[in-house]
Amino acid sequence: MESNPSGLASQALLNKIDQLRELNVKSIELPQLVVLGDQSSGKSSVLESLTGFSFPQAPGLCTRYATQISCRREPEEYVAVSIIPQHGADAATENRLRAFKHNISTLTNEALVQIIQDANKVMGIRMTADDTDPSLHTFSNDTLKIEICGLEQKHFTVIDVPGIFRVSSPPFTTDHDVDLVRSMVESHIQNSRTIILVVLPSNVDITTQEILKMAEKADPGGMQTMGVLTKPDLVTEVVTQKAIKDLILGKGKQLRLGYCVVNNRSADDEQSTVCGIESLKIRLSDLLMNITKKEFPHVKADVAKQLEHRRSELERMGPSRTEQSAQSMYLGRLGSKFQAVTQCALNGYYDSEAIFTEAPNMKLITAVTKMNEKFSDTFWKKGHKRHTSSDWNDEGEAAHALAENDDADFAQDLLKLYPELHDIVETDSYECPKPKAFNNDFIMDHIEEVYQLNRGPELGTFSSSILSATFREQSEKFEPLVLTHVSRSIGLVHDYISNLITRICRDKQVRDQLWELILVDALCKTYVRAIEQARFMLRIERHGRPSTYNHYFSSEVQKKRQDRIKEITEAARYTTSKGVELVPMATLHNMVVNKENAQQIREDILDVLTSYYKVSRKRFVNNVCRQVIGHFLLEGDESPLKIFSSELVMGLEDDQLELIAGEDAETRNQRFLLNRDSAPQQHHLATRVTQQSQLRLQF
């Protein structure tokens, strides 16, 4: 017998498609032939005529799931029955369903009935209304696979789906079952590589058939839909006969693949021949082969894409974490990654990690520096209660102002996102008021009042308690300014830590457990230390004895006194006719000799206060930014940014490791599915698919 290379190549190609279908990867659309039909439409008879397989007639064995019937040319005659689990089934269910396999060498109704009953039990199908087990269901998204092999068979695969029904029959079927079957049918025909075979009885009005409307919805142009008209012998009315003829001749409802009329035998007719079925079978075989050839390159591309996606997902999940050593390694790598990214964030090495390009808000040191500058600028312009001179903004410093920005407001809003911080930080926004305008008489009267309330036995001088009292009042905004700034900085750091962990640890279960069980408490302790340090510095600066060893203080006091003399002499200075500038001796005499003791003391107190405040403010702002923010929140050994590290992981107990990094059932199932879809045999099959597409097949 002469071999047929074309036929062998065709069968090999179709075999590859069937093998891919066996993998049940829903994201890959495969060329297929799906048969639709209402109950009593003659669908079962058409399937039997096409495949030679007769579904056994027995109670409870009507179609409750999709059935894939494949005819194969094999030297040995047999029927193989197995189950393809629905996509997304857990590992245990998938293994149990795939373990169901039966081969029959001789087809008998009794044997098939038993096998299908067994399949129903494995799939958990409720076969009668008396089955009250709540775990059973009437329909299933699993697929029953039937392979019919023999020398006389030609490769042909068709998928049969349950017939839709509109009215439930409690308790056996429910409204949910109605929707489930419809959804099942729609999911099979929405595949863009599907040939939809709609079985329609000739003795009904075609335009009213809901199954045809479903096909139209999935294939609006009718490009991949073919109609099969059954029961033509029951059409006796001339009008109906004419309507059927018009459909076949293309004058009625248009389908790109046309219509075919078949006349099946009735259930008790064993003499009549089947009319039209051979032509239909040849037509369907050609259609299936053509769409397979056309779509095969796209299938190949989809397979390669999905394999790469599965590998990426597995790589992202990391190795299996069933053992404690794997759990420790997994968390340790996360800790190392956290520290590596954080060092870049603190040093401004933003080109070293892609995360800073993907999420610019992760540029931590940039955000902190902006906030520190805004804090310093606000402290300089508005940190004092009242101006103590008319030229406050030009006291030896270049007048500058930062552009208004929303960084501080943004950090304030962050605090509201994290309830764990509410008992630690200041969550209320603080708007620093402007200082009171300078008024010489008012400021002198105020100093006199403070002096009289706090004076001691000093002669011609004033005690340090008077400076303490005036400075304490002048610096009363220090506390809200500092606590607000430190709180905002804590919110910024806390948000950075939360976002970074979210980005480097995609497993939500691990992330949540790590955050709640380990990190939150430890982080909050570091924030408490930072707040306590800020309050400690406030107590020393505002309530301690005024003190400084900065020579700038003495220089400022002398400068204030010089400025006061200069102001008086400038007012009294006059120029002679010869251009000589003179100051009357009386003016100088009044400045030095006739000045009242109280006035001199008031002026001295004001000069010392103004000079000391400038020294204190500069020192204090730098200390807050360097110690509280820089050391306690960013770079210190006990800063919150140093907590999550490989050292922390090494100190975890075994039960902590299991609770944090152990895989839950959902994760294990996801890993199982990804491993299954990217296993060596799948990879081998994908490679074979790729190679097959490169063959020069002569069809």
Side-chain angles (χ1 to χ4, degrees):
M1 182 177 178
E2 186 177 353
S3 63
N4 185 348
S6 174
L8 292 176
S10 301
Q11 181 169 335
L13 182 60
L14 293 173
N15 280 337
K16 291 294 179 291
I17 295 297
D18 284 347
Q19 288 176 318
L20 285 172
R21 186 176 290 108
E22 180 80 15
L23 300 180
N24 198 24
V25 182
K26 290 296 184 183
S27 53
I28 298 178
E29 295 186 343
L30 299 175
Q32 60 185 8
L33 175 62
V34 177
V35 182
L36 308 183
D38 281 339
Q39 294 178 357
S40 304
S41 65
K43 182 182 69 167
S44 297
S45 298
V46 171
L47 284 170
E48 179 181 348
S49 301
L50 288 173
T51 63
F53 179 82
S54 177
F55 279 97
Q57 301 299 314
L61 294 186
C62 59
T63 307
R64 304 293 175 78
Y65 34 73
T67 303
Q68 175 187 319
I69 308 172
S70 298
C71 300
R72 301 181 185 280
R73 186 177 181 180
E74 300 286 351
E76 182 182 356
E77 291 189 2
Y78 65 93
V79 174
V81 183
S82 58
I83 299 174
I84 301 175
Q86 61 181 295
H87 180 74
D90 60 76
T93 300
E94 174 151 353
N95 290 334
R96 177 172 55 81
L97 293 177
R98 289 193 179 276
F100 180 85
K101 294 182 183 297
H102 283 277
N103 284 8
I104 308 173
S105 58
T106 303
L107 287 175
T108 64
N109 186 72
E110 292 77 9
L112 285 174
V113 167
Q114 186 60 51
I115 289 176
I116 294 178
Q117 286 179 339
D118 292 344
N120 287 349
K121 290 179 181 179
V122 172
M123 285 188 275
I125 298 296
R126 181 185 294 108
M127 292 183 286
T128 68
D130 296 332
D131 293 331
T132 59
D133 187 339
S135 64
L136 300 178
H137 38 266
T138 308
F139 295 91
S140 172
N141 280 313
D142 301 322
T143 301
L144 185 68
K145 179 182 178 183
I146 301 174
E147 296 178 278
I148 307 169
C149 303
L151 283 172
E152 302 301 322
Q153 297 289 342
K154 294 182 180 179
H155 196 109
F156 184 79
T157 297
V158 64
I159 297 174
D160 177 32
V161 293
I164 63 170
F165 60 101
R166 300 159 188 81
V167 180
S168 60
S169 301
F172 195 61
T173 60
T174 65
D175 291 340
H176 172 72
D177 293 328
V178 175
D179 296 334
L180 175 64
V181 171
R182 178 177 292 274
S183 176
M184 189 187 308
V185 172
E186 289 176 346
S187 68
H188 278 83
I189 63 177
Q190 284 173 352
N191 181 346
S192 62
R193 295 164 186 162
T194 293
I195 297 173
I196 305 173
L197 192 65
V198 182
V199 180
L200 304 165
S202 301
N203 59 337
V204 299
D205 185 358
I206 300 299
T207 60
T208 64
Q209 294 297 291
E210 186 176 1
I211 201 73
L212 186 58
K213 294 179 180 178
M214 292 180 66
E216 288 177 347
K217 184 178 179 181
D219 180 25
M223 302 298 292
Q224 295 177 198
T225 304
M226 180 177 182
V228 177
L229 301 173
T230 61
K231 305 180 181 180
D233 53 312
L234 299 182
V235 179
T236 57
E237 297 180 357
V238 176
V239 175
T240 307
Q241 291 176 354
K242 183 179 183 304
I244 296 299
K245 291 178 182 178
D246 288 343
L247 278 177
I248 297 172
L249 295 176
K251 297 179 182 179
K253 188 73 175 178
Q254 293 298 309
L255 295 177
R256 175 66 175 82
L257 302 182
Y259 293 86
C260 181
V261 180
V262 297
N263 188 23
N264 296 305
R265 289 192 297 262
S266 61
D268 57 354
D269 184 1
E270 298 182 358
Q271 303 297 324
S272 302
T273 59
V274 179
C275 177
I277 200 67
E278 284 301 321
S279 298
L280 175 62
K281 191 170 185 177
I282 293 172
R283 173 69 169 148
L284 292 177
S285 296
D286 291 342
L287 288 174
L288 186 60
M289 192 68 252
N290 289 338
I291 195 172
T292 301
K293 288 169 57 181
K294 174 186 174 183
E295 297 293 338
F296 200 81
H298 305 295
V299 171
K300 179 199 73 170
D302 288 348
V303 169
K305 182 179 179 180
Q306 289 300 319
L307 276 174
E308 181 60 31
H309 175 70
R310 296 300 190 275
R311 295 193 192 100
S312 298
E313 286 291 302
L314 274 173
E315 183 177 349
R316 183 185 64 79
M317 291 183 70
S320 176
R321 304 192 303 274
T322 55
E323 301 294 332
Q324 289 174 348
S325 58
Q327 296 164 3
S328 179
M329 183 178 295
Y330 175 74
L331 290 179
R333 288 175 177 172
L334 290 180
S336 297
K337 179 65 174 178
F338 181 92
Q339 290 302 319
V341 174
T342 297
Q343 284 304 307
C344 294
L346 288 175
N347 294 318
Y349 299 154
Y350 299 136
D351 291 337
S352 302
E353 295 285 346
I355 191 173
F356 299 113
T357 302
E358 299 168 359
N361 62 310
M362 299 296 290
K363 296 179 178 181
L364 180 60
I365 198 62
T366 300
V368 171
T369 301
K370 286 183 179 180
M371 284 186 60
N372 280 340
E373 289 177 343
K374 183 75 178 292
F375 168 68
S376 176
D377 190 64
T378 301
F379 228 100
W380 167 54
K381 293 188 295 185
K382 298 191 294 184
H384 48 286
K385 182 175 182 178
R386 56 172 54 88
H387 290 313
T388 55
S389 66
S390 58
D391 58 346
W392 179 271
N393 289 335
D394 192 29
E395 293 185 335
E397 299 182 57
H400 69 281
L402 295 179
E404 291 295 327
N405 59 72
D406 296 328
D407 292 337
D409 294 334
F410 170 73
Q412 188 73 28
D413 291 339
L414 287 178
L415 297 175
K416 302 175 183 177
L417 299 177
Y418 300 101
E420 60 269 22
L421 301 181
H422 289 182
D423 293 334
I424 301 174
V425 301
E426 298 291 333
T427 56
D428 294 332
S429 180
Y430 173 69
E431 294 295 333
C432 184
K434 292 182 178 180
K436 295 181 180 179
F438 174 74
N439 182 297
N440 188 67
D441 293 337
F442 177 81
I443 193 70
M444 287 302 181
D445 289 344
H446 173 70
I447 290 177
E448 174 68 19
E449 180 182 357
V450 174
Y451 173 70
Q452 293 299 336
L453 291 174
N454 296 277
R455 66 182 299 181
E458 300 86 3
L459 295 176
T461 62
F462 58 91
S463 68
S464 61
S465 62
I466 295 177
L467 177 60
S468 297
T470 53
F471 177 75
R472 192 176 303 118
E473 183 202 36
Q474 181 75 334
S475 64
E476 65 184 25
K477 297 185 207 171
F478 277 25
E479 182 167 337
L481 279 173
V482 169
L483 295 181
T484 297
H485 177 59
V486 174
S487 296
R488 290 170 174 172
S489 300
I490 288 173
L492 199 67
V493 170
H494 197 64
D495 186 65
Y496 166 84
I497 295 172
S498 175
N499 285 335
L500 180 54
I501 290 176
T502 299
R503 287 183 171 275
I504 66 175
C505 179
R506 300 297 180 88
D507 190 320
K508 187 176 185 303
Q509 183 262 340
V510 174
R511 190 168 66 240
D512 290 347
Q513 296 284 42
L514 176 65
W515 184 258
E516 296 295 336
L517 298 180
I518 302 296
L519 294 183
V520 166
D521 287 345
L523 291 173
C524 288
K525 289 178 181 178
T526 65
Y527 304 146
V528 169
R529 286 197 293 268
I531 290 289
E532 288 177 347
Q533 178 67 15
R535 293 186 183 278
F536 171 73
M537 293 173 63
L538 282 166
R539 286 196 301 272
I540 292 178
E541 199 66 43
R542 295 194 63 238
H543 300 283
R545 183 189 300 272
S547 174
T548 180
Y549 299 98
N550 191 336
H551 71 280
Y552 178 77
F553 169 71
S554 298
S555 299
E556 277 294 301
V557 171
Q558 295 300 322
K559 182 176 181 301
K560 291 296 179 186
R561 291 172 177 169
Q562 292 172 4
D563 289 344
R564 195 179 301 282
I565 295 173
K566 181 178 179 182
E567 181 181 0
I568 295 174
T569 57
E570 287 287 339
R573 184 182 61 185
Y574 66 93
T575 304
T576 66
S577 58
K578 295 183 179 181
V580 178
E581 293 184 345
L582 299 175
V583 176
M585 287 296 296
T587 301
L588 297 177
H589 181 78
N590 291 334
M591 288 173 51
V592 178
V593 178
N594 293 336
K595 181 178 293 187
E596 294 181 1
N597 185 55
Q599 180 184 358
Q600 182 65 56
I601 292 177
R602 289 197 301 267
E603 290 177 354
D604 287 346
I605 292 174
L606 180 61
D607 292 342
V608 171
L609 171 64
T610 303
S611 301
Y612 183 74
Y613 178 85
K614 290 181 66 177
V615 171
S616 171
R617 186 250 303 168
K618 292 180 179 181
R619 173 181 65 198
F620 187 59
V621 168
N622 282 340
N623 287 343
V624 169
C625 293
R626 285 179 55 81
Q627 294 183 33
V628 181
I629 310 300
H631 179 77
F632 280 85
L633 291 182
L634 299 182
E635 297 178 347
D637 291 339
E638 296 183 346
S639 84
L641 298 175
K642 299 293 180 65
I643 290 177
F644 185 36
S645 63
S646 55
E647 289 78 8
L648 171 73
V649 176
M650 292 173 61
L652 295 178
E653 301 292 337
D654 292 345
D655 57 342
Q656 290 178 306
L657 282 172
E658 176 63 33
L659 195 58
I660 296 171
E663 294 183 338
D664 57 15
E666 181 180 353
T667 303
R668 289 195 298 270
N669 186 54
Q670 182 184 8
R671 186 182 297 280
F672 167 80
L673 294 175
L674 290 172
N675 276 317
R676 182 201 64 187
D677 291 345
S678 58
Q681 59 267 32
Q682 273 79 331
H683 176 71
H684 174 69
L685 177 56
T687 303
R688 293 290 301 276
V689 168
T690 303
Q691 295 171 347
Q692 186 73 32
S693 67
Q694 298 169 348
L695 296 177
R696 295 188 176 184
L697 303 178
Q698 303 297 323
F699 296 103

